[in-house]
Amino acid sequence: MKYLSIPAAILVAAILLSGFCQGQEVSIILKDGQTFVGEVLESSTDSVKVKYKTADGEKIGTFRVADLEVHSAYAVLRQAAGDDAKAQLELAKFCFYNKMPTACIAHYNRAKALDPKMIEEFDRNEKPRLKEEWAAKLLGDARRFIERKKW
């Protein structure tokens, strides 16, 4: 696993924290590496619509969140979640599954502030399973690290 230098990590964090705002110029990066730079026209938890320039002129494209590189997807989902508790909780789960623990906790806490009763139910029914999954992932990562380093 490679780590970013501190300045690069700060830049990535600044980009992620800025989110995607309608009318703002953004870079959408797809999982296959294609990059589209343009203006966000609409975004939702499923897709983002972007007006971008090509050699043939201006085009409008709609990209599925599932097709985006994880940090582009996070920025779209974060902007779309707004003050909706359920969307914030789903974003916390997205962060959990994509190994973004700090963002996961932040969105969980935001959802809790917006709808404490929904989070109480989540804590009783779903959170214990997710904590077990997280522990298993961390243990697996540690084992793979040790095996590669032959400790």
Side-chain angles (χ1 to χ4, degrees), residues 39 41-42 48-54 57-63:
E39 175 186 344
L41 301 175
E42 299 173 22
V48 60
K49 184 186 247 184
V50 179
K51 179 170 53 173
Y52 59 95
K53 294 180 181 171
T54 68
E58 214 166 64
K59 293 188 178 183
I60 294 177
T62 301
F63 304 96

Side-chain angles (χ1 to χ4, degrees), residues 12-13 24-25 30 44 50 53-54 65 75 92 105 108 123 125:
V12 169
Q24 176 184 357
E25 184 169 289
L30 302 181
S44 71
V50 179
K53 294 180 181 171
T54 68
V65 169
I105 292 166
Y108 168 85
D123 287 351
N125 299 321

Side-chain angles (χ1 to χ4, degrees), residues 49-126:
K49 184 186 247 184
V50 179
K51 179 170 53 173
Y52 59 95
K53 294 180 181 171
T54 68
D56 300 329
E58 214 166 64
K59 293 188 178 183
I60 294 177
T62 301
F63 304 96
R64 293 176 345 125
V65 169
D67 295 333
L68 302 180
E69 181 271 334
V70 69
H71 293 99
S72 287
Y74 171 72
V76 170
L77 293 171
R78 182 177 176 270
Q79 196 274 331
D83 287 335
D84 181 270
K86 186 175 179 182
Q88 287 288 335
L89 182 57
E90 289 303 313
L91 186 51
K93 292 178 196 176
F94 172 88
C95 293
F96 169 82
Y97 285 111
N98 287 285
K99 297 182 180 180
M100 302 166 68
T102 303
C104 175
I105 292 166
H107 293 292
Y108 168 85
N109 287 336
R110 180 71 181 129
K112 188 174 186 175
L114 293 167
D115 190 344
K117 290 193 184 292
M118 179 187 71
I119 295 300
E120 285 176 18
E121 184 177 322
F122 169 80
D123 287 351
R124 276 193 311 274
N125 299 321
E126 199 171 342

Side-chain angles (χ1 to χ4, degrees), residues 7-61:
I10 291 170
L11 176 62
V12 169
I15 291 168
L16 291 177
L17 292 175
S18 69
F20 288 158
C21 298
Q22 291 180 355
Q24 176 184 357
E25 184 169 289
V26 297
S27 293
I28 300 289
I29 304 169
L30 302 181
K31 288 179 180 175
D32 67 7
Q34 293 183 75
T35 301
F36 299 88
V37 177
E39 175 186 344
V40 173
L41 301 175
E42 299 173 22
S43 65
S44 71
T45 57
D46 299 317
S47 65
V48 60
K49 184 186 247 184
V50 179
K51 179 170 53 173
Y52 59 95
K53 294 180 181 171
T54 68
D56 300 329
E58 214 166 64
K59 293 188 178 183
I60 294 177

Side-chain angles (χ1 to χ4, degrees), residues 143-151:
R143 284 186 177 139
R144 283 186 293 282
F145 176 78
I146 290 169
E147 288 168 2
R148 277 196 312 268
K149 298 296 181 180
K150 302 202 187 307
W151 284 16

